[in-house]
Amino acid sequence: SQQHSLLGDILLAYLFWAVGFIIFAHWLILTCLSYRCRRGCASGALLQFILPLLALAFFAGGGAWCRSSSNSTPCPGGETMSHDCLFQIQSTKYQAIYAMHYIGLAYMVIQWILDGVQIWGWVLQIRQRDEQGNSNINHISEKRAGYMVAMWSPFSISLAYPTTIVFVNLWVTLTWAIFYKDWSTSSGGSLTSLAWRVIVAALGALMGALLFLHRARFGQCITRS
């Protein structure tokens, strides 16, 4: 039946999401499901599969380069790395590659978490568009999105979703690079404190992104109240 098929699609996508953090294989499932629609509608899903793989390349490549002893200067306090050691002792090249390393990791983690929240909705959107047919879809951004939208907004996943992830990632990066300087890999307490600050920054940035994506709806609610 159609209900069993829908449930099977959702479970299959979540199964690949749960076991495929590194390769984001659930987007291959969503891309295949999107091909039920007319030509070109799977491009948005395929893009979301490619972007975290690029982030993985930044993470793995940057990590391998930074771990080479010939590319870094030993930290005077004996720690593997700290804020002061990174920005006062290491070269500008090392700082940039070290930052790219963690920016890549943060992009992957942020997208993986946000994907998990939205997978069921994307499968439903694909199924609804497939059943209704293209003639009943009037929103041009949804046509361009591969019939999937970002964070339940009216906007395409093709642009709005990566932009949201980049915005959240920016605040995460600013937190450990500028706002919170008292962290060191030799101190579990400072890393825990940094982790909480990163989480707060990520949630705050995500709320800001949601307000922007849904600004028209929020504006209507405020006006009515």
Side-chain angles (χ1 to χ4, degrees), residues 168 171-172 175 192-208:
V168 176
W171 282 97
V172 168
T175 298
T192 300
S193 182
L194 174 62
W196 280 111
R197 284 169 169 79
V198 164
I199 291 172
V200 170
L203 290 176
L206 180 59
M207 290 302 298

PDB file of all heavy atoms in Angstrom, residues 168 171-172 175 192-208:
ATOM      1  N   VAL A 168      25.221  29.144  10.623  1.00  0.00           N
ATOM      2  CA  VAL A 168      25.415  28.517  11.935  1.00  0.00           C
ATOM      3  C   VAL A 168      26.889  28.197  12.151  1.00  0.00           C
ATOM      4  O   VAL A 168      27.440  28.433  13.239  1.00  0.00           O
ATOM      5  CB  VAL A 168      24.557  27.246  12.056  1.00  0.00           C
ATOM      6  CG1 VAL A 168      24.845  26.531  13.383  1.00  0.00           C
ATOM      7  CG2 VAL A 168      23.072  27.581  11.954  1.00  0.00           C
ATOM      8  N   TRP A 171      29.041  31.212  13.268  1.00  0.00           N
ATOM      9  CA  TRP A 171      28.975  31.560  14.686  1.00  0.00           C
ATOM     10  C   TRP A 171      29.698  30.543  15.550  1.00  0.00           C
ATOM     11  O   TRP A 171      30.285  30.894  16.577  1.00  0.00           O
ATOM     12  CB  TRP A 171      27.514  31.724  15.116  1.00  0.00           C
ATOM     13  CG  TRP A 171      26.979  33.039  14.679  1.00  0.00           C
ATOM     14  CD1 TRP A 171      26.248  33.301  13.563  1.00  0.00           C
ATOM     15  CD2 TRP A 171      27.202  34.299  15.318  1.00  0.00           C
ATOM     16  NE1 TRP A 171      25.981  34.649  13.476  1.00  0.00           N
ATOM     17  CE2 TRP A 171      26.546  35.281  14.538  1.00  0.00           C
ATOM     18  CE3 TRP A 171      27.869  34.684  16.476  1.00  0.00           C
ATOM     19  CZ2 TRP A 171      26.560  36.630  14.880  1.00  0.00           C
ATOM     20  CZ3 TRP A 171      27.884  36.041  16.826  1.00  0.00           C
ATOM     21  CH2 TRP A 171      27.237  36.987  16.034  1.00  0.00           C
ATOM     22  N   VAL A 172      29.670  29.292  15.154  1.00  0.00           N
ATOM     23  CA  VAL A 172      30.453  28.273  15.864  1.00  0.00           C
ATOM     24  C   VAL A 172      31.942  28.599  15.774  1.00  0.00           C
ATOM     25  O   VAL A 172      32.675  28.545  16.771  1.00  0.00           O
ATOM     26  CB  VAL A 172      30.169  26.875  15.287  1.00  0.00           C
ATOM     27  CG1 VAL A 172      31.174  25.858  15.817  1.00  0.00           C
ATOM     28  CG2 VAL A 172      28.753  26.433  15.640  1.00  0.00           C
ATOM     29  N   THR A 175      32.974  31.566  17.809  1.00  0.00           N
ATOM     30  CA  THR A 175      32.971  31.275  19.247  1.00  0.00           C
ATOM     31  C   THR A 175      34.328  30.766  19.702  1.00  0.00           C
ATOM     32  O   THR A 175      34.892  31.274  20.682  1.00  0.00           O
ATOM     33  CB  THR A 175      31.884  30.236  19.579  1.00  0.00           C
ATOM     34  OG1 THR A 175      30.607  30.776  19.245  1.00  0.00           O
ATOM     35  CG2 THR A 175      31.906  29.888  21.062  1.00  0.00           C
ATOM     36  N   THR A 192      35.087  21.359  27.825  1.00  0.00           N
ATOM     37  CA  THR A 192      33.663  21.236  28.139  1.00  0.00           C
ATOM     38  C   THR A 192      32.988  22.597  28.103  1.00  0.00           C
ATOM     39  O   THR A 192      31.882  22.761  27.561  1.00  0.00           O
ATOM     40  CB  THR A 192      33.469  20.599  29.524  1.00  0.00           C
ATOM     41  OG1 THR A 192      34.056  19.301  29.533  1.00  0.00           O
ATOM     42  CG2 THR A 192      31.992  20.483  29.870  1.00  0.00           C
ATOM     43  N   SER A 193      33.647  23.596  28.682  1.00  0.00           N
ATOM     44  CA  SER A 193      33.110  24.951  28.659  1.00  0.00           C
ATOM     45  C   SER A 193      32.993  25.475  27.234  1.00  0.00           C
ATOM     46  O   SER A 193      31.998  26.117  26.869  1.00  0.00           O
ATOM     47  CB  SER A 193      34.017  25.871  29.485  1.00  0.00           C
ATOM     48  OG  SER A 193      33.512  27.184  29.516  1.00  0.00           O
ATOM     49  N   LEU A 194      34.010  25.176  26.417  1.00  0.00           N
ATOM     50  CA  LEU A 194      33.959  25.579  25.013  1.00  0.00           C
ATOM     51  C   LEU A 194      32.815  24.890  24.292  1.00  0.00           C
ATOM     52  O   LEU A 194      32.102  25.517  23.495  1.00  0.00           O
ATOM     53  CB  LEU A 194      35.285  25.247  24.335  1.00  0.00           C
ATOM     54  CG  LEU A 194      35.349  25.470  22.812  1.00  0.00           C
ATOM     55  CD1 LEU A 194      35.128  26.933  22.484  1.00  0.00           C
ATOM     56  CD2 LEU A 194      36.692  24.991  22.261  1.00  0.00           C
ATOM     57  N   ALA A 195      32.616  23.600  24.571  1.00  0.00           N
ATOM     58  CA  ALA A 195      31.551  22.847  23.914  1.00  0.00           C
ATOM     59  C   ALA A 195      30.186  23.457  24.208  1.00  0.00           C
ATOM     60  O   ALA A 195      29.349  23.602  23.305  1.00  0.00           O
ATOM     61  CB  ALA A 195      31.582  21.390  24.368  1.00  0.00           C
ATOM     62  N   TRP A 196      29.940  23.841  25.467  1.00  0.00           N
ATOM     63  CA  TRP A 196      28.666  24.455  25.817  1.00  0.00           C
ATOM     64  C   TRP A 196      28.490  25.791  25.104  1.00  0.00           C
ATOM     65  O   TRP A 196      27.390  26.109  24.634  1.00  0.00           O
ATOM     66  CB  TRP A 196      28.565  24.650  27.327  1.00  0.00           C
ATOM     67  CG  TRP A 196      28.175  23.400  28.053  1.00  0.00           C
ATOM     68  CD1 TRP A 196      28.939  22.651  28.895  1.00  0.00           C
ATOM     69  CD2 TRP A 196      26.892  22.746  27.981  1.00  0.00           C
ATOM     70  NE1 TRP A 196      28.239  21.571  29.362  1.00  0.00           N
ATOM     71  CE2 TRP A 196      26.980  21.601  28.822  1.00  0.00           C
ATOM     72  CE3 TRP A 196      25.704  23.001  27.302  1.00  0.00           C
ATOM     73  CZ2 TRP A 196      25.907  20.726  28.988  1.00  0.00           C
ATOM     74  CZ3 TRP A 196      24.638  22.127  27.465  1.00  0.00           C
ATOM     75  CH2 TRP A 196      24.746  21.012  28.296  1.00  0.00           C
ATOM     76  N   ARG A 197      29.535  26.570  25.007  1.00  0.00           N
ATOM     77  CA  ARG A 197      29.449  27.858  24.313  1.00  0.00           C
ATOM     78  C   ARG A 197      29.187  27.665  22.819  1.00  0.00           C
ATOM     79  O   ARG A 197      28.449  28.435  22.203  1.00  0.00           O
ATOM     80  CB  ARG A 197      30.733  28.656  24.539  1.00  0.00           C
ATOM     81  CG  ARG A 197      30.817  29.272  25.926  1.00  0.00           C
ATOM     82  CD  ARG A 197      32.209  29.831  26.226  1.00  0.00           C
ATOM     83  NE  ARG A 197      32.220  30.636  27.436  1.00  0.00           N
ATOM     84  CZ  ARG A 197      32.244  30.161  28.667  1.00  0.00           C
ATOM     85  NH1 ARG A 197      32.252  28.843  28.851  1.00  0.00           N
ATOM     86  NH2 ARG A 197      32.259  30.978  29.704  1.00  0.00           N
ATOM     87  N   VAL A 198      29.809  26.645  22.247  1.00  0.00           N
ATOM     88  CA  VAL A 198      29.579  26.336  20.831  1.00  0.00           C
ATOM     89  C   VAL A 198      28.133  25.927  20.603  1.00  0.00           C
ATOM     90  O   VAL A 198      27.488  26.350  19.638  1.00  0.00           O
ATOM     91  CB  VAL A 198      30.546  25.222  20.366  1.00  0.00           C
ATOM     92  CG1 VAL A 198      30.075  24.620  19.042  1.00  0.00           C
ATOM     93  CG2 VAL A 198      31.960  25.770  20.225  1.00  0.00           C
ATOM     94  N   ILE A 199      27.582  25.114  21.517  1.00  0.00           N
ATOM     95  CA  ILE A 199      26.193  24.679  21.393  1.00  0.00           C
ATOM     96  C   ILE A 199      25.244  25.866  21.476  1.00  0.00           C
ATOM     97  O   ILE A 199      24.298  26.001  20.689  1.00  0.00           O
ATOM     98  CB  ILE A 199      25.861  23.640  22.481  1.00  0.00           C
ATOM     99  CG1 ILE A 199      26.615  22.328  22.212  1.00  0.00           C
ATOM    100  CG2 ILE A 199      24.350  23.377  22.543  1.00  0.00           C
ATOM    101  CD1 ILE A 199      26.507  21.324  23.334  1.00  0.00           C
ATOM    102  N   VAL A 200      25.490  26.756  22.440  1.00  0.00           N
ATOM    103  CA  VAL A 200      24.640  27.947  22.595  1.00  0.00           C
ATOM    104  C   VAL A 200      24.729  28.826  21.345  1.00  0.00           C
ATOM    105  O   VAL A 200      23.711  29.332  20.844  1.00  0.00           O
ATOM    106  CB  VAL A 200      25.054  28.740  23.844  1.00  0.00           C
ATOM    107  CG1 VAL A 200      24.342  30.094  23.882  1.00  0.00           C
ATOM    108  CG2 VAL A 200      24.724  27.952  25.105  1.00  0.00           C
ATOM    109  N   ALA A 201      25.954  29.022  20.828  1.00  0.00           N
ATOM    110  CA  ALA A 201      26.127  29.832  19.619  1.00  0.00           C
ATOM    111  C   ALA A 201      25.405  29.206  18.435  1.00  0.00           C
ATOM    112  O   ALA A 201      24.754  29.908  17.646  1.00  0.00           O
ATOM    113  CB  ALA A 201      27.618  29.991  19.310  1.00  0.00           C
ATOM    114  N   ALA A 202      25.502  27.873  18.306  1.00  0.00           N
ATOM    115  CA  ALA A 202      24.850  27.181  17.193  1.00  0.00           C
ATOM    116  C   ALA A 202      23.332  27.306  17.283  1.00  0.00           C
ATOM    117  O   ALA A 202      22.667  27.579  16.276  1.00  0.00           O
ATOM    118  CB  ALA A 202      25.262  25.710  17.173  1.00  0.00           C
ATOM    119  N   LEU A 203      22.789  27.119  18.481  1.00  0.00           N
ATOM    120  CA  LEU A 203      21.341  27.227  18.650  1.00  0.00           C
ATOM    121  C   LEU A 203      20.859  28.652  18.397  1.00  0.00           C
ATOM    122  O   LEU A 203      19.813  28.867  17.777  1.00  0.00           O
ATOM    123  CB  LEU A 203      20.945  26.774  20.062  1.00  0.00           C
ATOM    124  CG  LEU A 203      21.092  25.277  20.353  1.00  0.00           C
ATOM    125  CD1 LEU A 203      20.765  24.983  21.814  1.00  0.00           C
ATOM    126  CD2 LEU A 203      20.183  24.460  19.442  1.00  0.00           C
ATOM    127  N   GLY A 204      21.629  29.623  18.883  1.00  0.00           N
ATOM    128  CA  GLY A 204      21.251  31.018  18.650  1.00  0.00           C
ATOM    129  C   GLY A 204      21.274  31.371  17.178  1.00  0.00           C
ATOM    130  O   GLY A 204      20.357  32.028  16.668  1.00  0.00           O
ATOM    131  N   ALA A 205      22.323  30.935  16.476  1.00  0.00           N
ATOM    132  CA  ALA A 205      22.413  31.200  15.045  1.00  0.00           C
ATOM    133  C   ALA A 205      21.299  30.499  14.283  1.00  0.00           C
ATOM    134  O   ALA A 205      20.725  31.050  13.340  1.00  0.00           O
ATOM    135  CB  ALA A 205      23.778  30.758  14.518  1.00  0.00           C
ATOM    136  N   LEU A 206      20.982  29.269  14.704  1.00  0.00           N
ATOM    137  CA  LEU A 206      19.908  28.526  14.043  1.00  0.00           C
ATOM    138  C   LEU A 206      18.575  29.220  14.227  1.00  0.00           C
ATOM    139  O   LEU A 206      17.778  29.318  13.286  1.00  0.00           O
ATOM    140  CB  LEU A 206      19.842  27.100  14.590  1.00  0.00           C
ATOM    141  CG  LEU A 206      18.770  26.191  13.985  1.00  0.00           C
ATOM    142  CD1 LEU A 206      18.962  26.065  12.480  1.00  0.00           C
ATOM    143  CD2 LEU A 206      18.800  24.819  14.648  1.00  0.00           C
ATOM    144  N   MET A 207      18.313  29.723  15.431  1.00  0.00           N
ATOM    145  CA  MET A 207      17.066  30.460  15.674  1.00  0.00           C
ATOM    146  C   MET A 207      17.015  31.722  14.811  1.00  0.00           C
ATOM    147  O   MET A 207      15.969  32.070  14.263  1.00  0.00           O
ATOM    148  CB  MET A 207      16.958  30.822  17.147  1.00  0.00           C
ATOM    149  CG  MET A 207      16.708  29.634  18.062  1.00  0.00           C
ATOM    150  SD  MET A 207      15.195  28.727  17.624  1.00  0.00           S
ATOM    151  CE  MET A 207      13.952  30.007  17.866  1.00  0.00           C
ATOM    152  N   GLY A 208      18.156  32.397  14.675  1.00  0.00           N
ATOM    153  CA  GLY A 208      18.192  33.575  13.810  1.00  0.00           C
ATOM    154  C   GLY A 208      17.911  33.219  12.368  1.00  0.00           C
ATOM    155  O   GLY A 208      17.187  33.942  11.670  1.00  0.00           O
TER     156      GLY A 208
END
